[in-house]
Amino acid sequence: MKLVLTILLFLSVNFLSHGQFIHTEEFIKKIEAYPKDKLESLKKIAKLFTDSLEKSNSSDVDRAFVELLKVQTEIQDNYNKVLWESEDYESLESIMYANEKLHTQKAKEFEKYAEENGFIIQVTEGTINIEKSPTFLIETFIEFLSSSMKSYLKQYCDELKAPFMEDGGIIIDFTTFRERVLFWDNFDKQNPDFPIPNYPKNQFEFYLYHLLSGADNTPAFDWNSKIILESYLKVYNEIIQENPNTRTAHILKDYTKMLKLNSYKKNDELMNFINKYDPYKY
């Protein structure tokens, strides 16, 4: 009897010390109240998620995580606007220098502030930006998520670590490029009810489109001859041969047949085929 009372007392104290668990709907309402222009809001929301969210239903936990990501993106966007207009911006730009000895004290403090609150500093096209920290996302949340959301988060963080494009050109290698197209192809097929509607399909079509067309400064067709580059054609054939049952392979089979009929030269017929997957058409 004493043992039972001791256990009940322990559970009661433990419950009270951690506070009452909240369900997903309440979590979503609570996070709306946090300021969306302060980085520290994310750390507070993350603590609410890890310490107080009721986690018995994995689909509800995933839904809460999706809402958290939306708020993180809003904080990121709002803070970047403040950052670019800041009178300290020029001082903070010293973060761009590879030599850390050239970083100003304000830049060092800013970088520390970002990292402590779940963000990193990213330099793109000569501009510093706040970006989500892949390390923070993985270390803080992945243990609570469903298997499909874990898979999504790992891929999402890999893509944060290795941006796809910069200065109008593709900057990842073809192996990674191929892996991304196939990942989103399979993920979209396997997760029709994913809690971020259309995201897997949009990611698949984004990468597929660029696999077919290239980008402004890294086009799939030669600038002068308009002939498809061998590096792109090689990837098409590899996917067709090694991943024949994927949607990507079926699309590429049709596309390579069309390329052959048109002597591998860019024309309106080929562009009409490519533009079916244009992510910028809407």
Side-chain angles (χ1 to χ4, degrees), residues 162-205:
F164 175 65
M165 195 181 300
E166 187 171 351
D167 291 329
I170 296 166
I171 57 175
I172 59 173
D173 59 50
F174 276 104
T175 299
T176 306
F177 198 169
R178 170 183 165 176
E179 287 171 354
R180 290 190 184 181
V181 175
L182 292 172
F183 173 85
W184 290 112
D185 184 351
N186 292 328
F187 190 89
D188 182 37
K189 182 179 179 181
Q190 294 167 4
N191 298 277
D193 299 318
F194 191 64
I196 309 178
N198 297 320
Y199 185 88
K201 178 178 181 290
N202 291 342
Q203 285 295 96
F204 166 62
E205 292 190 349

Side-chain angles (χ1 to χ4, degrees), residues 16 28 55 76 181 184 196 205 215 246 253 257 269 274:
L16 290 172
I28 293 171
K55 300 182 180 68
Q76 175 184 326
V181 175
W184 290 112
I196 309 178
E205 292 190 349
T246 62
K253 280 180 186 176
K257 286 177 185 177
E269 183 182 9
I274 292 170

Side-chain angles (χ1 to χ4, degrees), residues 6-258:
T6 302
I7 292 171
L8 289 173
L9 180 61
F10 170 78
L11 291 174
S12 177
V13 170
N14 190 54
F15 176 78
L16 290 172
S17 65
H18 287 84
Q20 186 176 358
F21 287 120
I22 60 173
H23 292 280
T24 296
E25 295 302 331
E26 188 179 352
F27 173 80
I28 293 171
K29 288 178 182 177
K30 281 181 176 291
I31 65 177
E32 280 302 313
Y34 287 91
K36 304 301 189 299
D37 58 352
K38 297 186 183 299
L39 301 191
E40 54 266 33
S41 291
L42 176 64
K43 203 69 178 288
K44 294 173 183 176
I45 291 169
K47 184 172 176 57
L48 185 68
F49 182 100
T50 57
D51 293 358
S52 301
L53 182 68
E54 206 283 319
K55 300 182 180 68
S56 61
N57 186 309
S58 62
S59 62
D60 281 344
V61 174
D62 284 354
R63 192 158 58 89
F65 179 66
V66 168
E67 293 304 316
L68 182 148
L69 280 181
K70 290 179 183 177
V71 170
Q72 185 180 16
T73 300
E74 189 177 353
I75 292 170
Q76 175 184 326
D77 291 344
N78 289 338
Y79 196 87
N80 276 328
K81 291 174 185 176
V82 173
L83 173 63
W84 298 329
E85 296 171 0
S86 169
E87 59 185 26
D88 293 327
Y89 183 78
E90 288 188 13
S91 175
L92 300 177
E93 279 187 312
S94 64
I95 289 173
M96 295 185 199
Y97 301 133
N99 185 350
E100 292 187 5
K101 292 180 180 179
L102 299 177
H103 295 184
T104 65
Q105 186 59 35
K106 282 186 177 180
K108 292 176 183 177
E109 291 171 358
F110 175 57
E111 189 168 25
K112 182 181 178 185
Y113 167 66
E115 290 175 356
E116 287 176 346
N117 288 288
F119 293 88
I120 56 173
I121 310 300
Q122 189 177 70
V123 180
T124 54
E125 301 183 8
T127 304
I128 59 170
N129 304 279
I130 291 291
E131 182 55 88
K132 299 177 185 70
S133 166
T135 302
F136 175 80
L137 288 172
I138 293 289
E139 291 182 353
T140 308
F141 303 109
I142 200 160
E143 66 177 291
F144 304 111
L145 306 176
S146 69
S147 58
S148 61
M149 189 60 76
K150 283 178 181 175
S151 178
Y152 158 79
L153 182 58
K154 287 176 183 176
Q155 183 66 25
Y156 182 76
C157 287
D158 284 346
E159 295 184 16
L160 283 177
K161 292 175 190 174
F164 175 65
M165 195 181 300
E166 187 171 351
D167 291 329
I170 296 166
I171 57 175
I172 59 173
D173 59 50
F174 276 104
T175 299
T176 306
F177 198 169
R178 170 183 165 176
E179 287 171 354
R180 290 190 184 181
V181 175
L182 292 172
F183 173 85
W184 290 112
D185 184 351
N186 292 328
F187 190 89
D188 182 37
K189 182 179 179 181
Q190 294 167 4
N191 298 277
D193 299 318
F194 191 64
I196 309 178
N198 297 320
Y199 185 88
K201 178 178 181 290
N202 291 342
Q203 285 295 96
F204 166 62
E205 292 190 349
F206 172 84
Y207 284 114
L208 177 65
Y209 171 78
H210 288 291
L211 187 64
L212 298 175
S213 71
D216 289 346
N217 292 332
T218 49
F221 294 90
D222 183 81
W223 288 103
N224 299 312
S225 69
K226 307 301 181 185
I227 301 294
I228 189 78
L229 295 177
E230 185 61 34
S231 53
Y232 280 86
L233 194 58
K234 180 173 180 286
V235 177
Y236 302 160
N237 289 325
E238 286 175 351
I239 292 174
I240 291 168
Q241 292 168 15
E242 297 174 24
N243 309 94
N245 298 320
T246 62
R247 178 173 34 169
T248 307
H250 291 307
I251 292 168
L252 290 176
K253 280 180 186 176
D254 292 339
Y255 183 58
T256 52
K257 286 177 185 177
M258 193 179 295

